[in-house]
């Protein structure tokens, strides 16, 4: 899929670009820029590209880094350290050596970890559903019995988190992210309402803003008073080890902080190796207090006789230890960091100083988040689509898919090749500029 080998030359983004704010241009300069941009867009569209920038998927080259796993564990090597036959049923919590391997990543001890199958999203879904149907430790009734239960949802956020809440009719209360995590004054106010049962958090290299919650924000989340005694932080640490720079940003241990603040059961921690080893065949993790782990396993035992322990062994044999995880992630970084740089460069060249867009410069994770001019995001996605570049639908980073400002775009540069990312991001920058010019044009009546 995508482009053939004889790629057209990249757009020359540098040609006499306006580095002054577009809103300040006089009529003639504005009209000239609009005509020029329209022409460039038409030329871009005529290239007939086909590039998918929608989802945060690893590229084939990234997946190939884990090809060594495909022959593991070898024939005969199917016993755990404790002598369990990994081919058979059993061990709902997961092999001890796997829990030990990932304990530092999850920031807790092996006995507080459950290893699930290949999707942490599935574990989040299960936890939400079990809470809804049966309740959680510390609560007096299932969440479904609460009148109009609600979740706090930092925005921009992950569309699949919102879809789970939508599925079960749970209200979503948007709270803005401020660059170092959610607006905590708002969060504390909302959490005081007993119908507010939980909150989504992607604390590190967030999807899609890329931001990492500050220590102060995390401490407040652990310590805040909640109206509901059974309030839960759904702590989705999906990008715990996914650094894009040499700095391995660390965040405080939420389980420890909650315990110290007197709320030992407050956090459900999730993570997975979907973007470490294989996105379709990784391991997912749930980590929490002893009471929550018991609660989780009691419900999970009704759902399955045990997880895929051969895959668990495969992961231990392949990654070996913490240093093995670190080295593997460095190999990912070498493949994807240039793609992030490429997007930033394209946006910079076309849009810096124009005043029509701002974007994140993530230190990790899988996304770049662009705030285009208010009221233009849908148009940008449509313009890009017309030119063969598929973007995540505008609005998907807000609850119910509705961005009240129609301005946030999520770019996912990992999957396409570097050449495709270069072309696509140049085109996207052009679409952002054109959509802004068209919007200003109708407002100015130039
Ligand atoms: N959580 C976040 C924040 C994500 O961005 C993603 C995938 O993009 C997931 C969870 C999915 O995780 P998994 O593959 O473990 O289900």
């Amino acid at each position: 899929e995508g482009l053939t080998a004889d790629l057209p030359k990249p757009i020359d983004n540098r040609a006499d670009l306006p580095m002054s704010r577009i809103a300040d241009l006089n009529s003639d300069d504005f009209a000239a820029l609009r005509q020029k941009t329209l022409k460039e867009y038409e030329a871009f569209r005529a290239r007939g590209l086909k590039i998918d920038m929608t989802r945060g998927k690893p590229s084939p080259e990234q997946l190939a880094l884990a090809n060594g796993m495909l022959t593991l564990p070898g024939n005969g090597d199917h016993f755990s350290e404790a002598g369990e036959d990994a081919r058979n049923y059993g061990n709902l919590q997961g092999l001890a050596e796997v829990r030990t391997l990932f304990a530092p990543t999850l920031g807790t001890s092996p006995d507080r970890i459950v290893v699930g199958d290949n999707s942490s999203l599935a574990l989040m879904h299960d936890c939400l559903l079990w809470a809804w149907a049966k309740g959680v430790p510390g609560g007096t009734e299932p969440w479904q019995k609460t009148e109009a239960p609600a979740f706090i949802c930092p925005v921009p956020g992950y569309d699949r988190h919102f879809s789970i809440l939508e599925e079960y009719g749970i209200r979503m209360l948007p709270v803005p992210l401020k660059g170092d995590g959610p607006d905590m004054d708002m969060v504390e106010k909302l959490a005081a309402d007993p119908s507010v049962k939980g909150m989504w958090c992607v604390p590190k290299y967030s999807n899609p803003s890329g931001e990492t919650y500050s220590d102060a924000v995390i401490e407040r989340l652990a310590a805040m008073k909640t109206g509901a005694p059974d309030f839960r932080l759904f702590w989705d640490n999906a990008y715990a080890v996914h650094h894009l720079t040499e700095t391995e940003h660390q965040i405080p241990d939420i389980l420890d902080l909650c315990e110290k603040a007197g709320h030992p059961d407050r956090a459900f921690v999730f993570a997975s190796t979907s973007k470490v080893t294989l996105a379709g065949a990784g391991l997912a993790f749930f980590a929490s207090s002893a009471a929550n782990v018991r609660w989780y396993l009691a419900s999970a035992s009704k759902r399955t006789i045990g997880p895929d322990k051969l895959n668990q062994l495969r992961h231990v044999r392949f990654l070996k230890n913490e240093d093995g995880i670190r080295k593997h992630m460095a190999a990912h970084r070498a493949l994807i960091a240039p793609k992030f740089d490429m997007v930033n460069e394209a946006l910079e060249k076309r849009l810096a100083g124009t005043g029509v867009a701002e974007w994140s410069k993530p230190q990790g994770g899988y996304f770049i988040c662009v705030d285009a001019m208010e009221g233009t995001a849908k148009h940008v996605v449509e313009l890009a689509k017309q030119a063969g570049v598929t973007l995540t639908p505008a609005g998907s980073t807000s609850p119910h898919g509705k961005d009240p400002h129609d301005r946030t775009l999520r770019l996912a540069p990992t999957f396409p090749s570097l050449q495709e990312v270069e072309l696509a991001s140049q085109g996207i920058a052009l679409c952002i500029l054109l959509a802004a010019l068209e919007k200003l044009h109708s407002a100015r009546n130039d």
Side-chain angles (χ1 to χ4, degrees), residues 119-121 124 158 161 202 207 236 238-239 272 274-275 367:
S119 162
S120 63
L121 193 71
M124 297 173 220
Y158 178 36
H161 285 165
V202 184
N207 174 356
D236 180 2
Y239 299 105
S272 79
S274 290
K275 286 154 189 169
F367 302 98

Side-chain angles (χ1 to χ4, degrees), residues 23 29 44 119 132 163 167 188 255 331 338 385 388 399 424:
D29 289 348
F44 181 69
S119 162
W132 189 81
S163 304
E167 182 74 4
E188 284 166 349
L255 293 173
K385 185 175 160 204

